Amino acid sequence: MGTAPTQCPSGISANFHAKFDNRTEFSCSSFPFTLNLSKLNSQPTSKGLVNKIGSLPDIDDLFWEKVPTPILDVVENPTHLKSLSVRELKLLADEIRLELSSTMSKPQRSFKASLAAVELTVALHYVFHAPVDKILWDAGEQTYAHKILTGRRILMPTLRQKNGLSGYTSRTESEYDPFGAGHGCNSISAGLGMAVARDIKGKRERVVTVINNTTTMAGQVYEAMSNAGYLDSNLVVILNDSRHSLHPKIEEGPKTSINALSSTLSRLQSSKSFRKFREAAKDVTKRIGMGMHELAAKVDEYARGMMGPLGSTLFEELGLYYIGPVDGHKLEDLICVLQEVASLDSMGPVLIHVITEENQCSEDKQKKVTVEKQQEGLSLNDIYSFSNDDHCRTYSDCLVEALVMEAEKEKDIVVVHAGIEMDPSLKLFRERFSDRFFDVGMAEQHAVTFSAGLSCGGLKPFCIIPSAFLQRAYDQVVHDVDRQRIPVRFVITSAGLVGSDGPLQCGAFDITFMSCLPNMIVMAASDEDELIDMVATATRIDDRPVCFRYPRGALVRTDYPIHGGSALEIGTGKVLVEGKDVALLGYGAMVQNCLKAQALLSKLGINVTVADARFCKPLDIKLLRWLCSNHDILITVEEGSVGGFGSHVAQFIALDGQLDGRLKWRPIVLPDNYIEHASPKEQLALAGLTGHHIAATTLSLLGRTREALLLMC
């Protein structure tokens, strides 16, 4: 048996490389537990996941035996589904749902989308032959049942934890994940690429992509569908519709009913005989000529539009053969339709419209979980929707309250929001100013240009978009806003590291790509007070675009009072602590970690100046010159990639001659790699952005290397 990993105050432990006995006790993170490796080794491990799990959760989380799952226990991979009857598949779906409820409710992770997709997932793996056949997903939240069925069941408690399973599909995690789920809307494009590559190489595997209501609001989905219709490659697109409508807003869309007639029509539409008859009819009308083919196509489209729900003919117009609606919880119908579609050698692109319910949980399990959670003081709403109102106040709460106060004074203020889902905090603004709030969903490109139009019309738009999602609207930011000097106020949320969402939603690049634009004013709030002031500042800027960022998470202060903001002077920072040996110039949320580093260094007798830059563009030139003139060491700290704030500082001090003398300058930025999912503290430690890391960098520059090493251990 090897030795236990070295524990460090920062929470970093060394990797363990040794062999264990069947039953071994060791300490991991701060959770000592006993790991039964004989049980772990009996479980299959997905390709690419061997040796990946460096730390495991509490033993009670790892081996849950609260609910019996006899069928699921013998399903080690999708191949084992092929020998099950439909009745056994139904029981398997129930067991997967119970498994998800048991393992996911304790850490309070949202899993509604996966509950809705259980039968669909079972049917897909029963009919198709993954990993030879490719199954792609648009949204990671739908894939938990897929992960369970593809050899990752034993690792589900590590979901979104450091060194654990990703919350999304990942090519490096499993061979059953042929493509990583991005910010939604990418599966059809990637699937079509795989289908065309298959055709060119003369292969025969099937390609299936699964999209949902949220992703149908993104333009890339329709671009991909249009191209798929043109190329006419064999491709199966499944719309997992949990809203019962193709309308983007559930409250405005009619509910599609699933009955015996619609079930029969879906089976007919997907049947081989009907498809062959339809193709034969097309050939006959082409031979007749005289416009008969076009007339027959219009009749066919009209008739099929009458059978399908509102909006179904859109897919036909794009060139996809529409089948549906299909009951997403009726395995017989799902399997029948999928088998018919899979049996056709030449079918072109097909869209199967599947209706699902998100609140799918067995009644007995729901009652059991309800009793358990009520004993813990949680409501059922907390368990399944996780909308507990008793939460820590966040930067988003602070932002919305500031926007409400400004909107009460300024009638031209409007809010445009884009992204996967709306932050609950924004409901306050929507309720107060319903006619001045626009949620466009996953349509970031539209949101930016729409905001530009609102500004041209005399309004003051605040365009709220998470950092990672603003990336795909960058062309609109450049040409529709900055080049024309249109005053759009960009509020960049989820800036920096985002914990369990890992690199997929990490806001690492916005400082870099926004600060290089000639007309953009770029700010970052170090705390809630500055966030409010930046809202007030942006409101008063009417001659150019402006952006400011803030991180995901709780406020710095827990007793934060609500107050109005004061406009900042453009391009001015401030000194928070004045010293003489070293200057720490923080940008945004990293100012707080600079203050932590200053506290550590002061105990070692080092006088440190801490300054809050506030602006990346324009820089506070007066402040920079003072810092360079009065300190031997200048360290810039930001939670962003190389090329951001530190690069702008370096550009100025180099041209200003500040680096020609005694000054030592060092930048601390995010490393040049993607930081995987972990807790926020763990991610900051991995990135080298904690107060300890900043202090250690300072000690190294002062030649006190030994103290720097001791500080990190």
Side-chain angles (χ1 to χ4, degrees):
M1 172 181 171
T3 58
T6 303
Q7 298 293 323
C8 297
S10 59
I12 306 174
S13 60
N15 291 328
F16 186 88
H17 300 285
K19 294 182 178 180
F20 290 108
D21 298 327
N22 278 345
R23 191 168 182 84
T24 302
E25 294 184 5
F26 65 97
S27 176
C28 185
S29 300
S30 57
F31 302 99
F33 63 90
T34 302
L35 176 65
N36 189 340
L37 283 162
S38 61
K39 189 166 186 176
L40 178 62
N41 292 334
S42 66
Q43 298 292 331
T45 305
S46 295
K47 180 181 177 181
L49 208 57
V50 179
N51 296 329
K52 182 177 178 180
I53 305 303
S55 61
L56 293 170
D58 188 87
I59 191 69
D60 185 54
D61 289 338
L62 187 62
F63 301 121
W64 56 96
E65 296 179 355
K66 300 169 185 171
V67 181
T69 53
I71 298 179
L72 182 58
D73 291 342
V74 299
V75 176
E76 297 182 354
N77 57 63
T79 305
H80 296 154
L81 269 65
K82 312 296 183 185
S83 60
L84 300 179
S85 65
V86 173
R87 177 179 174 276
E88 289 171 326
L89 290 174
K90 290 180 180 179
L91 294 174
L92 174 64
D94 290 338
E95 291 180 9
I96 293 173
R97 192 166 280 114
L98 294 176
E99 180 92 354
L100 285 171
S101 300
S102 297
T103 59
M104 304 299 288
S105 60
K106 184 169 183 179
Q108 293 197 357
R109 301 188 187 100
S110 179
F111 57 98
K112 275 187 175 183
S114 285
L115 288 178
V118 168
E119 284 84 3
L120 175 60
T121 305
V122 170
L124 283 171
H125 282 294
Y126 177 78
V127 173
F128 295 98
H129 301 276
V132 176
D133 290 336
K134 312 301 180 188
I135 302 176
L136 289 75
W137 304 80
D138 248 2
E141 291 78 9
Q142 298 183 85
T143 63
Y144 299 159
H146 164 76
K147 288 177 181 283
I148 287 175
L149 290 175
T150 54
R152 288 168 276 184
R153 178 190 179 191
I154 194 68
L155 302 174
M156 287 301 289
T158 71
L159 192 74
R160 295 176 178 264
Q161 296 178 15
K162 182 182 178 183
N163 295 329
L165 291 179
S166 169
Y168 309 90
T169 54
S170 171
R171 284 165 52 87
T172 60
E173 184 177 286
S174 172
E175 62 183 338
Y176 291 95
D177 295 349
F179 202 81
H183 298 150
C185 78
N186 68 352
S187 67
I188 302 179
S189 297
L192 179 60
M194 294 179 186
V196 171
R198 170 203 63 202
D199 297 340
I200 292 175
K201 289 182 171 291
K203 297 182 179 180
R204 297 174 60 87
E205 70 264 22
R206 298 293 181 184
V207 180
V208 183
T209 70
V210 183
I211 64 176
N212 62 14
N213 302 89
T214 305
T215 55
T216 57
M217 301 171 73
Q220 185 181 351
V221 168
Y222 301 100
E223 294 170 4
M225 286 184 183
S226 178
N227 193 217
Y230 174 76
L231 295 175
D232 203 35
S233 292
N234 288 358
L235 176 70
V236 180
V237 179
I238 297 176
L239 171 57
N240 178 20
D241 181 3
S242 58
R243 292 183 179 173
H244 293 195
S245 170
L246 299 179
H247 198 285
K249 294 185 178 180
I250 182 171
E251 64 272 14
E252 298 178 16
K255 187 171 181 176
T256 303
S257 61
I258 299 294
N259 51 38
L261 177 59
S262 61
S263 177
T264 301
L265 290 174
S266 296
R267 289 174 179 248
L268 174 64
Q269 288 173 306
S270 62
S271 67
K272 186 184 296 185
S273 56
F274 180 79
R275 293 294 303 276
K276 286 184 176 180
F277 171 77
R278 188 168 178 263
E279 293 302 317
K282 284 184 180 180
D283 290 338
V284 171
T285 55
K286 284 181 180 178
R287 291 173 186 172
I288 294 175
M290 297 181 297
M292 283 297 296
H293 177 66
E294 289 76 11
L295 177 62
K298 289 183 180 295
V299 172
D300 176 65
E301 180 183 328
Y302 178 77
R304 287 163 49 71
M306 291 288 288
M307 292 188 294
L310 181 66
S312 61
T313 55
L314 169 64
F315 303 112
E316 294 280 344
E317 291 286 349
L318 291 171
L320 279 74
Y321 181 79
Y322 176 87
I323 299 172
V326 182
D327 190 336
H329 303 295
K330 195 171 183 180
L331 269 168
E332 299 96 324
D333 287 358
L334 284 170
I335 291 172
C336 176
V337 170
L338 291 174
Q339 283 179 333
E340 290 289 352
V341 169
S343 67
L344 294 170
D345 293 327
S346 179
M347 60 179 178
V350 172
L351 184 134
I352 304 173
H353 185 185
V354 176
I355 302 295
T356 58
E357 293 279 357
E358 283 196 344
N359 295 317
Q360 285 289 316
C361 187
S362 71
E363 189 174 340
D364 292 339
K365 176 60 182 177
Q366 191 164 331
K367 288 179 181 178
K368 180 179 178 181
V369 175
T370 302
V371 172
E372 291 175 352
K373 295 303 177 182
Q374 283 176 344
Q375 291 173 351
E376 298 174 15
L378 297 176
S379 67
L380 187 62
N381 189 53
D382 298 331
I383 301 166
Y384 292 103
S385 65
F386 312 122
S387 59
N388 191 358
D389 292 333
D390 186 22
H391 66 283
C392 295
R393 282 174 52 77
T394 66
Y395 278 96
S396 292
D397 294 325
C398 181
L399 168 78
V400 174
E401 289 162 4
L403 283 172
V404 168
M405 284 188 282
E406 292 293 333
E408 287 174 343
K409 296 182 291 185
E410 177 63 74
K411 296 185 183 299
D412 289 337
I413 289 178
V414 293
V415 169
V416 179
H417 174 266
I420 285 185
E421 58 185 357
M422 186 178 72
D423 192 292
S425 303
L426 286 169
K427 292 179 182 178
L428 173 63
F429 190 96
R430 184 176 64 179
E431 291 168 358
R432 294 287 297 274
F433 309 102
S434 58
D435 59 335
R436 293 156 66 183
F437 180 81
F438 307 93
D439 181 23
V440 302
M442 288 181 61
E444 295 85 5
Q445 293 170 308
H446 163 66
V448 171
T449 308
F450 176 55
S451 297
L454 290 170
S455 181
C456 290
L459 298 178
K460 294 187 173 183
F462 279 80
C463 186
I464 304 175
I465 305 180
S467 174
F469 291 87
L470 184 59
Q471 293 165 187
R472 59 183 173 201
Y474 190 57
D475 183 68
Q476 284 70 30
V477 173
V478 174
H479 292 287
D480 296 343
V481 176
D482 191 75
R483 187 177 61 83
Q484 302 184 73
R485 207 180 173 94
I486 295 175
V488 173
R489 299 144 190 89
F490 292 101
V491 182
I492 304 174
T493 68
S494 296
L497 301 170
V498 291
S500 61
D501 280 325
L504 196 67
Q505 294 189 26
C506 176
F509 310 113
D510 60 271
I511 304 174
T512 300
F513 66 67
M514 295 299 275
S515 63
C516 68
L517 299 176
N519 296 318
M520 188 72 65
I521 295 174
V522 184
M523 304 182 286
S526 65
D527 59 20
E528 50 273 21
D529 288 319
E530 281 190 352
L531 180 58
I532 289 178
D533 290 342
M534 287 178 183
V535 172
T537 304
T539 301
R540 289 155 180 78
I541 296 174
D542 291 318
D543 62 340
R544 68 183 67 186
V546 58
C547 70
F548 56 93
R549 71 182 334 230
Y550 67 86
R552 182 186 294 185
L555 295 176
V556 176
R557 291 162 52 190
T558 56
D559 58 342
Y560 180 74
I562 301 174
H563 62 85
S566 302
L568 303 172
E569 183 182 349
I570 303 301
T572 59
K574 61 180 179 179
V575 175
L576 302 178
V577 180
E578 188 170 346
K580 62 177 182 178
D581 300 319
V582 179
L584 300 179
L585 180 58
Y587 183 67
M590 286 299 100
V591 170
Q592 302 302 322
N593 285 5
C594 289
L595 290 171
K596 293 176 182 177
Q598 182 270 336
L600 290 169
L601 293 168
S602 65
K603 296 177 181 178
L604 300 175
I606 302 171
N607 293 320
V608 176
T609 294
V610 178
D612 177 3
R614 297 197 292 202
F615 289 84
C616 176
K617 189 173 186 178
L619 289 169
D620 188 339
I621 294 175
K622 183 178 179 181
L623 174 62
L624 278 173
R625 283 175 174 157
W626 180 83
L627 293 173
C628 293
S629 300
N630 293 278
H631 301 83
D632 293 334
I633 296 173
L634 172 64
I635 300 174
T636 57
V637 188
E638 63 188 297
E639 195 175 356
S641 67
V642 64
F645 172 69
S647 296
H648 281 264
V649 171
Q651 173 83 358
F652 169 74
I653 62 177
L655 294 176
D656 200 49
Q658 300 293 337
L659 295 177
D660 297 345
R662 58 185 173 79
L663 180 69
K664 294 180 181 178
W665 167 75
R666 295 292 185 274
I668 298 180
V669 300
L670 288 175
D672 191 24
N673 60 269
Y674 295 103
I675 298 177
E676 295 298 329
H677 49 276
S679 71
K681 289 183 179 180
E682 289 170 333
Q683 283 194 323
L684 283 172
L686 290 170
L689 287 172
T690 66
H692 280 75
H693 285 89
I694 298 169
T697 299
T698 304
L699 289 168
S700 297
L701 287 171
L702 292 170
R704 298 165 68 167
T705 308
R706 180 177 176 80
E707 290 172 286
L709 291 173
L710 290 173
L711 192 64
M712 294 306 301
C713 292

